[in-house]
């Protein structure tokens, strides 16, 4: 499975890593008819995703950017996906694994519902320096294996943070933007090649801390440039996504009740009802089904 498109590889040969990085979201090594799930899809889903899944309509964890639901969308935590086994050909999990309190279950679930996929996250070194507010894991890749550490607080190493901020942090963002591939994990996996190889350094650790509350930021005034950019991305998403196909997808055919594993549902006016255990799940709109209880 090629981790880069031809144009990405060409740009990297000419030391244009920043531009190559911006094009990675256009690269999804799947066939035209493959069914693609994206977990943690948030406010900027990949173009190729057919079904979206996120736990929140809005959340601080993505800076309160509203959820995009321009195709079938399921509200659910990745640790308990309401989908049948192997129903998807490919699963995208971009910048979401590092938020999980239960990485083993997260990884088990995306492998259960999909045959292959892609995981992207900040690299552990990047995370150790910056201590992002809502990240619970440090993740790196060694010898094609994900190495995961559960953080014991927002800052795993306060001394490093103290040395970093007020000095190196002033130039760090520009350094990362020039060399993004060196500061992120990009991990492709396939079940036929052994699935997701991973190791949790401290598997017995149970989180005894919550992400600290942040002072709400003052809303930014939307500039003309920001409006044009938002409109441009929206139109690109419609143009480059499988929009016609996605509109015709009946996502209920892929679902599995998270309580009893039943796979047939009846539709009421504003709910899906599991035919096996009679649990109901709210239909929030034509595109959004709520499995978060």
């Amino acid at each position: 499975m090629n981790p880069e498109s031809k144009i990405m590889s060409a740009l990297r040969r000419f030391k244009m890593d920043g531009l190559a990085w911006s094009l990675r979201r256009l690269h999804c090594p799947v066939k035209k008819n493959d069914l693609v799930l994206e977990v943690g899809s948030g406010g900027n889903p990949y173009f190729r995703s057919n079904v979206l899944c996120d736990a929140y309509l809005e959340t601080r964890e993505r800076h309160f950017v509203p959820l995009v639901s321009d195709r079938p969308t399921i509200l659910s935590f990745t640790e308990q996906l309401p989908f049948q086994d192997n129903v998807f050909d490919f699963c995208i999990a971009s910048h979401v694994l590092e938020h999980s309190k239960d990485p083993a279950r997260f990884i088990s679930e995306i492998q259960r519902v999909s045959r292959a996929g892609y995981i992207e996250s900040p690299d552990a070194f990047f995370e150790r320096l910056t201590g992002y507010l809502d990240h619970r894991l440090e993740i790196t890749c060694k010898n094609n294996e994900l190495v995961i550490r559960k953080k014991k607080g927002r800052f795993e190493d306060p001394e490093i943070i103290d040395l970093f901020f007020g000095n190196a942090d002033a130039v760090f963002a520009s350094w990362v933007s020039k060399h993004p591939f060196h500061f992120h994990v990009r991990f492709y996996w396939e079940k036929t090649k052994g699935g997701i190889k991973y190791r949790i350094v401290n598997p017995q650790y149970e989180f005894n801390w919550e992400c600290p509350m942040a002072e709400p930021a003052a809303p930014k005034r939307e500039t003309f440039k920001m409006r044009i950019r938002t409109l441009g991305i929206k139109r690109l998403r419609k143009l480059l996504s499988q929009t016609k196909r996605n509109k015709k997808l009946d996502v209920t055919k892929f679902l599995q009740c998270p309580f009893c594993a039943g796979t047939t549902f009846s539709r009421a006016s504003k709910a899906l009802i599991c035919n096996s255990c009679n649990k109901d799940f709210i239909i929030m709109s034509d595109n959004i089904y709520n499995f978060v209880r």
Side-chain angles (χ1 to χ4, degrees):
M1 192 178 295
N2 196 333
E4 297 177 3
S5 64
K6 291 181 180 179
I7 189 169
M8 286 174 66
S9 297
L11 289 169
R12 295 196 70 188
R13 283 196 296 271
F14 287 97
K15 308 299 181 184
M16 301 172 70
D17 280 19
L19 184 54
W21 179 258
S22 67
L23 296 178
R24 78 196 188 284
R25 299 178 69 87
L26 295 174
H27 178 62
C28 188
V30 297
K31 298 175 183 176
K32 181 180 179 180
N33 293 326
D34 282 353
L35 189 64
V36 178
L37 168 69
E38 182 173 354
V39 296
S41 53
N44 187 23
Y46 276 60
F47 299 117
R48 183 57 182 82
S49 307
N50 301 113
V51 177
L52 306 179
C53 181
D54 201 291
Y56 308 102
L57 293 176
E58 284 190 340
T59 174
R60 185 192 67 187
E61 296 192 33
R62 61 170 183 266
H63 310 289
F64 297 102
V65 175
L67 179 69
V68 168
S69 56
D70 58 356
R71 63 206 86 169
T73 303
I74 301 296
L75 291 185
S76 173
F77 289 96
T78 306
E79 291 82 2
Q80 192 177 28
L81 291 172
F83 299 113
Q84 299 169 30
D85 296 357
N86 297 311
V87 73
F88 296 101
D89 298 291
F90 197 83
C91 177
I92 298 169
S94 181
H95 291 265
V96 61
L97 173 57
E98 64 271 17
H99 293 259
S100 178
K101 287 185 177 182
D102 192 346
R105 189 167 179 179
F106 182 108
I107 290 171
S108 175
E109 279 292 274
I110 62 174
Q111 288 190 107
R112 179 182 65 80
V113 304
S114 183
R115 299 180 180 88
Y118 169 66
I119 295 172
E120 181 179 303
S121 75
D123 183 75
F125 175 69
F126 189 0
E127 183 66 39
R128 183 67 62 95
L129 286 179
T130 57
Y132 188 80
L133 185 64
D134 292 292
H135 291 178
R136 298 177 177 90
L137 305 175
E138 291 180 346
I139 305 167
T140 193
C141 185
K142 294 182 178 180
N143 301 318
N144 202 35
E145 178 187 55
L146 293 179
V147 181
I148 300 170
R149 180 187 300 276
K150 298 177 183 179
K151 293 167 60 176
K152 296 179 181 178
R154 179 187 175 188
F155 301 124
E156 182 71 17
D157 192 331
E159 186 176 3
I160 286 288
I161 293 292
D162 187 54
L163 293 170
F164 174 71
F165 281 99
N167 191 9
D169 66 304
V171 297
F172 188 67
S174 61
W175 191 26
V176 171
S177 67
K178 292 178 181 178
H179 309 283
F181 291 90
H182 296 278
F183 292 96
H184 293 85
V185 171
R186 300 185 72 240
F187 186 86
Y188 286 90
W189 60 274
E190 299 177 67
K191 276 186 179 176
T192 57
K193 295 184 179 179
I196 301 173
K197 300 178 180 66
Y198 74 97
R199 171 169 54 93
I200 301 175
V201 175
N202 51 348
Q204 303 305 319
Y205 176 73
E206 294 185 7
F207 288 96
N208 59 7
W209 59 281
E210 291 294 331
C211 298
M213 293 301 294
E215 291 295 326
K220 293 182 179 179
R221 190 173 68 86
E222 189 179 36
T223 63
F224 177 74
K225 185 177 180 180
M226 291 168 63
R227 287 197 295 270
I228 292 297
R229 182 178 182 274
T230 300
L231 181 61
I233 292 174
K234 186 176 181 179
R235 289 188 174 177
L236 264 180
R237 190 182 296 124
K238 186 175 182 179
L239 177 67
L240 299 177
S241 299
Q242 293 185 330
T243 304
K244 290 184 179 179
R245 179 191 181 192
N246 295 339
K247 285 182 177 179
K248 296 178 181 179
L249 283 179
D250 182 1
V251 73
T252 62
K253 293 180 179 180
F254 314 140
L255 295 176
Q256 174 177 290
C257 177
F259 293 95
C260 72
T263 57
T264 60
F265 296 82
S266 299
R267 185 186 291 263
S269 59
K270 293 185 178 180
L272 283 179
I273 302 172
C274 175
N275 291 337
S276 298
C277 69
N278 212 38
K279 295 287 186 183
D280 62 285
F281 306 95
I282 297 171
I283 301 174
M284 302 184 70
S285 71
D286 290 340
N287 275 354
I288 305 178
Y289 301 81
N290 189 355
F291 279 77
V292 176
R293 300 181 73 90

